[in-house]
Amino acid sequence: MSGKVKFEQRDTLKEKPEGNLGFGQYFTDYMLSLDYDADKGWHDLKIVPYAPIEVSPAAQGLHYGQAVFEGLKAYKHNGEVVLFRPDQNFKRINDSLARLEMPKVDEELLLDGLKQLVDVERDWVPEGEGQSLYIRPFVFATEGILGVRASHQYKLLIILSPSGAYYGGDTLKTTKIYVEDEYVRAVRGGVGFAKVAGNYAASLLAQTNANQLGYDQVLWLDGVERKYVEEVGSMNIFFVENGKLVTPALNGSILPGITRKSIIELAKELGYEVEERKVGIDELFEAYDKGELTEVFGSGTAAVISPVGVLKYEDREIVINNNEPGEITKKLYDTYTGIQSGKLEDKHGWRVVVPEYK
Ligand SMILES: *Cc1c(COP(=O)(O)O)cnc(C)c1O
């Protein structure tokens, strides 16, 4: 389509890590780079050695936070390297860019560039159970000027990090969730629906507080009434109420997860009823008391599905399904990861094989 991307070879390749990879600790030999300035538009797409970059101390991204990112994974099975719904990530990065008055990118061009990068790095894609190559595209403002306005210059990079299985040896592990009632993550009209760096900066304090109290993650309530559930840390959230799958409807302050969207499609195909609507925190505790809240799980690229075993809100703590992953949770996890790995049929064309460019 756009031909081969320019390639700057490095002198020596790194040693590949062995053993426990963790998350986001190791980076491959190369990254994809694309620059923008107001006169030329996006230009100079190239694969370059992974290395520190020079930025102006006045780079606007550092001062005023014009910075967005994405996260997706490449998997290797039987020697084949596969991306999962990457088109959705590039669509979403454009929504995020638009919200911060940053220039949109050519989704096709980027996907082609990413495939070429991953092809170059295919030896870095780990093949162990649950392991993957985590892919982090991001864009930030680079113009060195302190005036408060949209930057005229930007840099886009895609870096790659071989990562370990989220659950270590286990298939699924439950988490303890703290319902945050002091801080909020996002409000409608703000940037909650966009994958912007600042959303994470704003969430760290609550996350640390929850950790200190012995919880893994924070569940965010809506920023206005603090009555309705929005999402968990960096995941969307699902509940099984009366056998139905319930998840908060996208409302402008919730991040529209690609895992969320895929889970909804799969659940419907599996014959479950799915409701996207406002979900009150009080409603959940009432349903729990009636024995109707049987499963809770988060969804996101990192864990795919993360079952919730404990939910703490104000002075109440409830234990969901004896602190074990529920039946529907397990079914959805197996189906989703089965499609990702190629063990189950990919009816939707979600798997995108990375070709060998040579
Ligand atoms: C990325 C993200 C998610 C999950 O999105 P996926 O596309 O499923 O990985 C959920 N919430 C927040 C705040 C996020 O940043």
Side-chain angles (χ1 to χ4, degrees):
M1 182 190 71
S2 48
K4 273 205 94 170
V5 173
K6 197 174 136 203
F7 179 58
E8 287 175 18
Q9 190 136 12
R10 56 189 293 155
D11 297 333
T12 54
L13 297 180
K14 301 182 196 177
E15 293 265 327
K16 304 221 173 21
E18 281 173 23
N20 193 357
L21 295 169
F23 174 74
Q25 296 180 44
Y26 302 100
F27 297 95
T28 67
D29 290 304
Y30 293 97
M31 59 187 183
L32 190 76
S33 167
L34 183 63
D35 290 308
Y36 177 92
D37 73 47
D39 299 332
K40 288 195 233 168
W42 286 108
H43 62 280
D44 205 13
L45 180 69
K46 55 190 176 187
I47 294 171
V48 296
Y50 179 93
I53 51 169
E54 212 165 77
V55 273
S56 164
Q60 287 188 313
L62 298 176
H63 298 269
Y64 307 127
Q66 274 185 301
V68 310
F69 68 96
E70 271 302 325
L72 67 157
K73 286 173 169 177
Y75 304 86
K76 192 186 263 177
H77 292 284
N78 304 325
E80 193 176 58
V81 176
V82 172
L83 304 168
F84 194 75
R85 306 195 81 176
D87 53 306
Q88 297 288 319
N89 292 90
F90 291 123
K91 222 169 115 191
R92 187 169 65 188
I93 206 170
N94 270 337
D95 293 338
S96 301
L97 288 168
R99 178 62 183 83
L100 295 195
E101 211 192 330
M102 296 164 77
K104 289 196 179 193
V105 291
D106 180 333
E107 295 165 25
E108 299 272 319
L109 178 82
L110 269 189
L111 180 52
D112 184 56
L114 172 62
K115 285 184 194 165
Q116 294 195 35
L117 174 69
V118 174
D119 178 44
V120 167
E121 301 288 53
R122 60 174 66 239
D123 290 348
W124 281 91
V125 187
E127 207 165 3
E129 180 75 31
Q131 296 182 325
S132 60
L133 183 72
Y134 183 78
I135 299 168
R136 168 56 59 85
F138 59 111
V139 187
F140 55 101
T142 51
E143 189 185 2
I145 179 172
L146 292 182
V148 180
R149 58 151 170 78
S151 175
H152 294 163
Q153 291 166 354
Y154 299 88
K155 187 177 276 296
L156 178 150
L157 295 172
I158 302 182
I159 58 176
L160 308 176
S161 175
S163 296
Y166 190 88
Y167 291 108
D170 304 319
T171 41
L172 279 173
K173 257 210 310 261
T174 56
T175 54
K176 292 178 73 174
I177 300 288
Y178 184 88
V179 181
E180 176 60 44
D181 53 7
E182 182 181 359
Y183 301 109
V184 298
R185 192 190 85 94
V187 290
R188 274 167 71 187
V191 294
F193 71 89
K195 220 166 165 80
V196 311
N199 283 339
Y200 279 77
S203 75
L204 299 176
L205 191 54
Q207 172 69 33
T208 300
N209 289 344
N211 292 156
Q212 279 167 355
L213 293 169
Y215 297 88
D216 301 301
Q217 296 235 29
V218 163
L219 188 148
W220 299 104
L221 298 178
D222 75 277
V224 179
E225 296 177 78
R226 304 198 195 182
K227 277 187 2 203
Y228 299 99
V229 170
E230 299 241 302
E231 57 184 304
V232 182
S234 52
M235 290 187 286
N236 295 109
I237 185 109
F238 287 84
F239 304 93
V240 178
E241 244 186 279
N242 277 324
K244 273 188 260 179
L245 207 55
V246 179
T247 191
L250 300 179
N251 60 359
S253 52
I254 293 173
L255 197 290
I258 296 161
T259 318
R260 174 188 182 279
K261 176 174 167 171
S262 309
I263 294 272
I264 291 172
E265 277 187 65
L266 286 181
K268 287 180 179 166
E269 285 166 19
L270 290 169
Y272 298 114
E273 223 180 294
V274 183
E275 285 180 358
E276 294 179 70
R277 58 168 170 85
K278 275 188 160 186
V279 182
I281 187 72
D282 292 335
E283 164 199 327
L284 291 173
F285 278 73
E286 281 161 27
Y288 180 81
D289 288 334
K290 287 189 262 172
E292 294 169 355
L293 180 70
T294 49
E295 301 182 36
V296 180
F297 63 86
S299 74
T301 295
V304 177
I305 281 183
S306 174
V308 175
V310 173
L311 209 53
K312 156 93 171 166
Y313 176 53
E314 294 179 334
D315 47 17
R316 264 196 94 185
E317 184 173 276
I318 57 176
V319 177
I320 318 287
N321 194 43
N322 292 319
N323 198 17
E324 280 167 25
E327 285 312 309
I328 297 177
T329 305
K330 283 193 283 194
K331 176 80 188 158
L332 289 169
Y333 180 79
D334 290 342
T335 308
Y336 200 95
T337 53
I339 294 172
Q340 281 180 329
S341 70
K343 281 177 202 144
L344 295 179
E345 191 198 346
D346 173 25
K347 281 184 283 193
H348 310 89
W350 287 345
R351 300 169 85 241
V352 174
V353 176
V354 175
E356 296 194 29
Y357 289 85
K358 290 274 189 279

